[in-house]
């Protein structure tokens, strides 16, 4: 097969894609022989390009095979072609190179195109793949694209229309790297392979669900993009809603890509729409001020290089979401995400209903609810908070946590395969389970659109929060209004 990488001299290729391909190669998961063709605007010889790939692996690969011979064999698969995405002749040259390599290696015309480029080029590249003949293969073809997929409902639909004129939906693999995280992938096993959990995974037993993705980093060097996007487009429309779908979906008829995506779509269809008027009561937006994180002083968002000093961009969003179906009606799902928060943590906390309160109240004891805590990153961990008598404290009932660490999966110190490794592998074998289907993307934009409009029209306050905190107080109020609190904030 042929793997064509647009944006091969870019940062993502260097940090993630080449190391991922190399690790797959070491695991013998990269089909052999394979032709890998990198594309970029600059001029490079095949050799220069192979050197760049090697350098990236030496710097970023999670492991290295010290046998230089093996690395040589791997690099031998790489070729480079200069390409200006708007120049149709360049696509013809690319087609010649692809065919030449197919003949040399005697491989089938199975072609995968990975667009690791700025989103504004997605449509033009897809159309050129179609028009140049690159997409007219005797074998299969696939397209993989990075986010963002549009910047609102309308642009997402326009983009999809163009992509679908060149590729079938089954051929399009939309990356959401959160779906590549081992613990997000593990959610389906937790829910569906454990009868104990499955039987309580519903409104009868669950009081609320809290999904957090907090970061300590600020806008870094990406102000140009981020100041136009905000947390709502950068994290909520994609990663947060994907985690929500994975948590709330029902047991699929079969555990396969189409059934799982079907169930995820049903979750999105059941989300109660937020009207522009509701936004004020259901959504909290914030922006970070200066502060201190891990002992280091950091500037406020408006003082970051490249940010408009009068910017209204949200660097924090929290939301209360209702899923109006028989499984979840009445159970609030809270999501929150922000930059420059107190800690880097992606986690899902499921709070169970607490019907035992009265029983122990006579004893003057308050019993904490049971919690299922799923840590997605940086650690991968599942823990269950139960109540237990503490013999060291007069037999008082206190919460204890039972931990199931998944760190064992870093067997023999080699580390867990990274999200990109898993996703590229799935792309290679054509498994789309952990990629976003167009319907999921469209429904996510549909749900988010009134929020975008309300932000745009300034219909709700932009709360400031100091760097190094858990975000604005209003995000706590959102839970307090229903008698809850964010768990694990310390
Ligand atoms: C990206 C966002 O999609 O996800 C970034 O564009 C964010 O702004 C990143 O920092 C977070 O990913 P992770 O894997 O570090 O949680």
């Amino acid at each position: 097969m042929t793997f064509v990488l647009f944006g091969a001299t870019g940062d993502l290729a260097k940090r993630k894609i080449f190391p991922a391909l190399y690790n797959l190669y070491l695991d013998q998961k990269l089909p052999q022989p394979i032709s890998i063709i990198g594309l970029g605007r600059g001029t490079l010889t095949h050799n220069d390009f192979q050197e760049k790939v090697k350098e990236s692996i030496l710097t970023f690969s999670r492991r290295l095979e010290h046998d230089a011979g093996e690395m040589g064999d791997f690099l031998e698969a790489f070729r480079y072609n200069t390409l200006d995405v708007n120049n149709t002749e360049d696509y013809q040259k690319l087609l010649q190179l692809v065919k030449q390599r197919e003949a040399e290696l005697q491989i089938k015309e199975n072609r995968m195109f990975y667009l690791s480029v700025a989103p504004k080029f997605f449509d033009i590249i897809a159309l050129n793949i179609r028009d140049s003949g690159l997409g007219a293969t005797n074998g299969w073809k696939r397209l993989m694209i990075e986010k963002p997929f549009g910047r609102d409902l309308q642009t997402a639909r326009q983009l999809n229309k163009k992509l679908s004129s060149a590729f079938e939906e089954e051929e399009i693999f939309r990356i959401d790297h959160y779906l590549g995280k081992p613990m997000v992938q593990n959610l389906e096993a937790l829910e569906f392979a454990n009868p104990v959990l499955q039987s309580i995974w519903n409104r009868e037993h669950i009081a609320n669900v809290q999904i957090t993705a907090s970061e300590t980093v600020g806008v870094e060097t990406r102000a140009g993009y981020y100041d136009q996007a905000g947390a709502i487009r950068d994290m909520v429309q994609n990663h947060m809603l994907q985690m929500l779908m994975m948590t709330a979906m029902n047991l699929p008829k079969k555990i396969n890509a189409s059934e799982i995506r079907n169930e995820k779509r049903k979750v999105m269809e059941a989300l109660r729409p937020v009207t522009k008027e509701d936004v004020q009561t259901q959504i909290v937006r914030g922006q970070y001020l200066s502060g201190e994180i891990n002992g280091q002083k950091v500037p406020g968002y408006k003082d970051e290089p490249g940010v408009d000093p009068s910017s209204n961009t949200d660097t924090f969003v929290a939301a209360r979401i209702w899923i109006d179906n028989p499984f979840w009606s009445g159970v609030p799902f809270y999501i929150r995400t922000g930059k420059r928060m107190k800690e880097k943590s992606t986690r899902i906390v499921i709070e169970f209903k607490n019907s035992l309160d009265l029983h122990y109240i006579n004893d003057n004891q308050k019993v904490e609810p049971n919690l299922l805590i799923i840590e997605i990153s940086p650690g991968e961990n599942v823990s269950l908070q139960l109540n237990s008598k503490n013999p060291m404290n007069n037999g008082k009932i206190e919460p204890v946590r039972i931990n199931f660490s998944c760190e064992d999966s870093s067997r023999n110190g080699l580390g867990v395969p990274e999200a990109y490794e898993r996703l590229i592998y799935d792309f290679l074998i054509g498994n789309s389970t952990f990629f976003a289907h167009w319907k999921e993307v469209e429904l996510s934009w549909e749900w988010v659109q009134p929020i975008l409009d309300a932000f745009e029209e300034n219909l709700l306050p932009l709360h400031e929060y100091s760097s190094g905190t858990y975000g604005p107080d209003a995000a706590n109020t959102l839970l307090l209004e229903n008698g809850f609190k964010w768990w694990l904030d310390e």
Side-chain angles (χ1 to χ4, degrees):
M1 75 173 64
T2 302
F3 186 93
V4 182
L5 178 61
F6 291 79
T9 49
D11 211 46
L12 188 73
K14 183 167 77 185
R15 286 171 188 275
K16 300 286 182 194
I17 302 172
F18 299 142
L21 288 170
Y22 180 63
N23 280 284
L24 289 172
Y25 169 78
L26 292 181
D27 286 339
Q28 300 183 349
K29 286 179 164 171
L30 202 60
Q32 294 296 336
I34 187 168
S35 153
I36 305 176
I37 299 180
L39 305 166
R41 264 173 300 190
T43 319
L44 286 180
T45 65
H46 299 316
N47 255 339
D48 291 344
F49 181 52
Q50 291 176 358
E51 274 309 302
K52 271 186 181 294
V53 175
K54 182 172 174 184
E55 223 177 274
S56 108
I57 290 166
L58 293 176
T59 320
F60 297 107
S61 173
R62 70 184 165 87
R63 62 196 165 141
L64 291 171
E65 180 60 63
H66 292 295
D67 180 348
E70 276 217 31
M71 171 86 96
D73 290 345
F74 170 73
L75 293 174
E76 186 34 46
F78 287 78
R79 294 290 183 278
Y80 182 81
N81 198 58
T82 306
L83 182 126
D84 166 353
V85 293
N86 290 305
N87 184 341
T88 50
E89 276 172 29
D90 285 353
Y91 290 88
Q92 285 310 320
K93 285 190 205 140
L94 171 61
L95 178 61
Q96 291 324 310
L97 180 59
V98 167
K99 286 190 162 167
Q100 179 195 324
R101 293 293 288 157
E102 280 168 351
E104 276 169 18
L105 300 170
Q106 298 188 327
I107 49 180
K108 291 203 182 119
E109 289 184 6
N110 294 333
R111 297 174 187 161
M112 358 198 12
F113 303 92
Y114 186 157
L115 311 195
S116 170
V117 294
K120 62 178 177 205
F121 300 129
F122 290 167
D123 51 356
I124 182 83
I125 293 178
L127 296 179
N128 272 307
I129 289 174
R130 183 192 65 189
D131 297 341
S132 63
L134 274 158
T137 77
N138 285 330
W140 46 253
K141 63 177 189 304
R142 290 180 196 138
L143 178 77
M144 178 139 98
I145 52 175
E146 290 283 335
K147 71 160 217 199
F149 198 84
R151 56 170 282 108
D152 53 21
L153 181 59
Q154 195 196 359
T155 50
R157 279 184 175 150
Q158 284 163 354
L159 172 59
N160 197 57
K161 204 164 163 206
K162 288 191 183 153
L163 293 189
S164 354
S165 74
F167 290 87
E168 301 292 327
E169 174 60 27
E170 302 74 58
E171 296 173 331
I172 304 176
F173 289 66
R174 295 175 197 83
I175 284 201
D176 184 307
H177 81 277
Y178 271 55
L179 289 177
K181 291 183 189 271
M183 201 40 108
V184 175
Q185 298 199 347
N186 200 20
L187 280 170
E188 59 168 19
L190 264 184
E191 294 162 35
F192 305 136
N194 295 297
V196 165
L197 289 182
Q198 219 221 306
S199 59
I200 54 173
W201 208 269
N202 54 48
R203 63 187 295 261
E204 300 299 319
H205 301 281
I206 291 178
N208 70 80
V209 177
Q210 308 178 7
I211 306 178
T212 297
S214 63
E215 298 187 86
T216 52
V217 294
V219 65
E220 298 177 289
T221 51
R222 303 161 69 218
Y225 149 75
Y226 194 86
D227 206 34
Q228 302 300 314
I232 186 80
R233 291 186 177 85
D234 188 48
M235 294 290 293
V236 175
Q237 183 273 332
N238 36 67
H239 309 321
M240 303 305 286
L241 290 178
Q242 281 292 341
M243 285 195 284
L244 178 127
M245 289 179 233
M246 291 296 289
T247 312
M249 71 176 169
N250 283 341
L251 181 62
K253 283 195 210 90
K254 275 192 183 151
I255 304 284
N256 63 29
S258 73
E259 290 296 330
I260 288 181
R261 289 157 123 203
N262 222 0
E263 288 305 327
K264 286 169 68 188
R265 178 179 52 75
K266 286 190 203 156
V267 172
M268 287 310 296
E269 283 168 351
L271 285 203
R272 187 178 304 169
V274 189
T275 63
K276 236 164 47 174
E277 292 66 41
D278 292 340
V279 170
Q280 294 176 49
T281 54
Q282 309 298 319
I283 312 287
V284 172
R285 67 168 173 166
Q287 190 185 76
Y288 64 81
L289 297 170
S290 60
E292 214 176 279
I293 297 186
N294 300 329
Q296 285 226 317
K297 286 206 170 7
V298 294
Y301 180 70
K302 289 190 174 70
D303 296 324
E304 296 274 22
V307 170
D308 173 359
S310 61
S311 170
N312 267 342
T313 297
D314 44 296
T315 64
F316 175 98
V317 172
R320 174 173 38 222
I321 300 178
W322 302 97
I323 303 175
D324 289 330
N325 69 17
F327 275 85
W328 296 114
S329 93
V331 180
F333 280 67
Y334 304 101
I335 59 170
R336 66 173 167 174
T337 181
K339 297 223 178 263
R340 286 282 193 235
M341 291 175 64
K342 185 160 185 204
E343 55 174 342
K344 167 82 185 160
S345 171
T346 306
R347 60 182 183 240
I348 301 173
V349 178
I350 297 176
E351 177 177 336
F352 291 96
K353 289 190 171 164
N354 194 351
S355 52
L356 293 175
D357 252 6
L358 292 177
H359 188 68
Y360 283 98
I361 247 163
N362 294 338
D363 239 5
N364 255 345
Q365 292 208 2
K366 204 174 150 276
V367 180
E368 297 278 0
N370 292 145
L371 304 176
L372 182 71
I373 301 161
I374 302 162
E375 281 178 53
I376 291 163
S377 77
E380 285 153 21
N381 211 63
V382 180
S383 55
L384 185 60
Q385 178 173 292
L386 301 174
N387 290 303
S388 176
K389 273 193 178 176
N390 182 352
M392 310 297 284
N393 192 7
N394 299 326
K396 219 176 150 225
I397 297 205
E398 290 177 359
V400 290
R401 294 223 179 120
I402 307 177
N403 260 326
F404 315 92
S405 171
C406 301
E407 309 286 332
D408 275 2
S409 45
S410 57
R411 279 156 218 132
N412 35 13
L414 295 177
V416 187
E418 288 205 357
Y420 273 92
E421 232 169 291
R422 292 161 175 263
L423 293 174
I424 291 176
Y425 179 65
D426 285 348
F427 181 47
L428 292 172
I429 61 170
N431 178 355
S432 53
T433 310
F434 295 113
F435 291 85
H437 188 277
W438 162 243
K439 225 39 219 164
E440 294 161 30
V441 176
E442 185 181 38
L443 287 162
S444 303
W445 277 121
E446 260 174 34
W447 187 81
V448 160
Q449 188 63 48
I451 307 175
L452 296 179
D453 296 342
F455 282 15
E456 187 85 8
E457 292 168 37
N458 260 322
L459 296 182
L460 72 169
L462 178 66
H463 297 279
E464 294 178 321
Y465 63 99
S466 297
S467 286
T469 65
Y470 282 103
D473 220 26
N476 298 328
T477 314
L478 206 57
L479 274 72
L480 262 180
E481 286 166 357
N482 309 109
F484 302 125
K485 64 170 188 180
W486 290 104
W487 290 101
L488 308 187
D489 289 6
E490 271 139 32

